[in-house]
Amino acid sequence: MNRAALPVRLLGIAAVLTIGAATWYGLFVVPPDLNQGDAQRILYIHVASAWHAFFSFGLAAAASVGWLIWRNPRFDAAALAFAEVGVLFTVSTIWAGMMWGKPVWGTYWQWEDPRLVTTALLLALYLGYLLVRRLTDDPVRRATRAAAVAIIAAVDIPIVHFSVTWWRGLHQGPTFGNPETILNPPAPGAFVTALLFMLFGVILLWAWLIIRRYQLARLEWIAEEAAQRAAVGVPA
């Protein structure tokens, strides 16, 4: 086994074990919610996925700024890794939200809800980011165009976050981080413990996915640069 790859492999194993333990705790230790019943258990993965999706897209935009300033392929590779993982977690967020919404709201989706619509828009924008990357084989032009899309798309992140404050919809207002609820938490301690447990597991998974996708993106850049040098007769 490559010693350099061992920490990454251990990180992946730790992520699987932690998420598995958090799932067991959330399913069999935490009691059902008085109002939502067992549907509340879906919120553990829903909230964890949403936080990491927004974090990923924010970092994708930051890495894109880095590319535009320094033109270092590492920034583009990082932006791609963050964007792809962000899309994955956004899909998980929407899916889990729909599974929770059906028993609690009585519907999977409500187009009048601003949080749902802005989140769907965020997913569409970053799917567009991935599509833009396929429109040219020139790595520099591709990275520059994609960077512009990532930065523009990131404008939707705070809109998603504040949508429940700015507009009325099915979603409740902010709970965690709300100064009015710090001294009087609305959620029972077991729920918060399960959520934090799941968040820790998802952090490990997120980190493993980012590292692996970044490594692949760097290899793709190196291969493309080598192919371009070979095409013009420049020795590798």
Side-chain angles (χ1 to χ4, degrees), residues 1-231:
M1 180 186 298
N2 186 351
R3 290 187 177 182
L6 180 59
V8 179
R9 182 167 298 185
L10 292 177
L11 178 62
I13 295 172
V16 172
L17 293 177
T18 305
I19 291 177
T23 301
W24 173 83
Y25 183 85
L27 289 175
F28 301 107
V29 176
V30 181
D33 183 75
L34 293 177
N35 298 316
Q36 302 177 25
D38 288 325
Q40 74 153 1
R41 307 182 196 280
I42 305 174
L43 293 179
Y44 308 142
I45 191 64
H46 174 68
V47 173
S49 296
W51 288 9
H52 287 82
F54 300 152
F55 187 50
S56 297
F57 291 146
L59 290 175
S64 296
V65 172
W67 161 261
L68 293 177
I69 295 174
W70 291 289
R71 299 290 170 144
N72 189 320
R74 288 183 174 83
F75 285 105
D76 180 60
L80 174 58
F82 288 130
E84 283 196 359
V85 173
V87 166
L88 175 64
F89 278 110
T90 305
V91 170
S92 175
T93 299
I94 293 175
W95 173 83
M98 292 173 64
M99 295 303 101
W100 175 85
K102 181 60 176 178
V104 177
W105 291 343
T107 181
Y108 289 111
W109 191 266
Q110 175 60 261
W111 284 107
E112 287 77 14
D113 184 80
R115 173 62 65 83
L116 295 181
V117 174
T118 53
T119 301
L121 175 61
L122 188 66
L123 176 61
L125 289 171
Y126 278 94
L127 286 174
Y129 168 90
L130 298 179
L131 176 62
V132 166
R133 298 189 66 92
R134 295 182 174 273
L135 297 181
T136 178
D137 294 328
D138 185 336
V140 174
R141 183 177 302 173
R142 177 184 62 215
T144 302
R145 291 176 177 176
V149 174
I151 295 169
I152 295 173
V155 175
D156 192 39
I157 298 174
I159 296 177
V160 175
H161 178 73
F162 291 108
S163 60
V164 293
T165 303
W166 293 342
W167 303 291
R168 296 183 62 180
L170 291 177
H171 265 88
Q172 68 181 47
T175 299
F176 296 97
N178 186 346
E180 297 180 0
T181 62
I182 291 177
L183 298 178
N184 185 26
F191 171 84
V192 176
T193 301
L195 177 59
L196 294 176
F197 198 178
M198 181 62 73
L199 279 170
F200 180 67
V202 174
I203 286 173
L204 298 178
L205 176 63
W206 176 86
W208 181 82
L209 290 171
I210 291 296
I211 292 171
R212 296 298 292 165
R213 187 60 186 93
Y214 172 79
Q215 291 173 337
L216 178 59
R218 286 291 295 135
L219 292 175
E220 291 171 348
W221 255 98
I222 293 172
E224 288 181 335
E225 289 176 342
Q228 285 184 338
R229 288 194 297 268

